[in-house]
Amino acid sequence: GEMLAVVGSSGSGKTTLLNLLVRFHEPEAGLILIAGVDIREIPRGSLREHFALVSQDIFLFNDTVAANIAYGAAGRTSNEIRHAADAAYATGFIESFPAGFETQIGDKGIRLSGGQRQRLAIARAVLRKAPILLLDEATSALDSESERYVQSAIEALTGTATTIVIAHRLSTVRRADRILVMA
């Protein structure tokens, strides 16, 4: 339930740290332990079930809003999808579309703003109910209004998941329990 902010200059290894956690890269030395268990002892698929990743570059499919939120969380009900959208402060803009949750968003979410795409990604992460949330520069390309919505969505998750957030903006890290500075 704690939030850890990871800050540092470009090239200091912030994103590499997240990539190591989810085993996109294997450590060359040392150990990464989660609850005292070396992550190399956990099958990759099982390990990744414990993480939800929201990055700066969101991948969305040429499908409906609901299908994009539910991606990676098979069998979720429309009520669960709506709850995730509520938690991500996305329901308001979704319901402004004529087809609501059934709106086709276009290839890579082209019909959405950057803030809307980020909030769908956060809704997807909420729906996964993963115990560890990884946010890699999730607000860097947003205007201040969109950032406020995304920050509110992140704050709503704090306490329910361990959150590791990479950020450059002070507004993103000010509510962190701890800040890790990488050099």
Side-chain angles (χ1 to χ4, degrees), residues 95-117:
E95 290 182 339
S96 74
F97 300 143
F101 281 84
E102 295 308 309
T103 299
Q104 294 284 326
I105 63 170
D107 204 24
K108 299 181 182 176
I110 193 72
R111 295 187 181 119
L112 304 175
S113 72
Q116 290 170 335
R117 286 192 294 271

Side-chain angles (χ1 to χ4, degrees), residues 12 19 37 56 75 78 81 83 86 89 97 110 133 136 168:
S12 63
N19 288 335
V37 177
Q56 158 177 32
S78 58
I81 293 168
H83 176 73
D86 288 344
Y89 291 83
F97 300 143
I110 193 72
L133 177 62
D136 189 358
H168 289 289

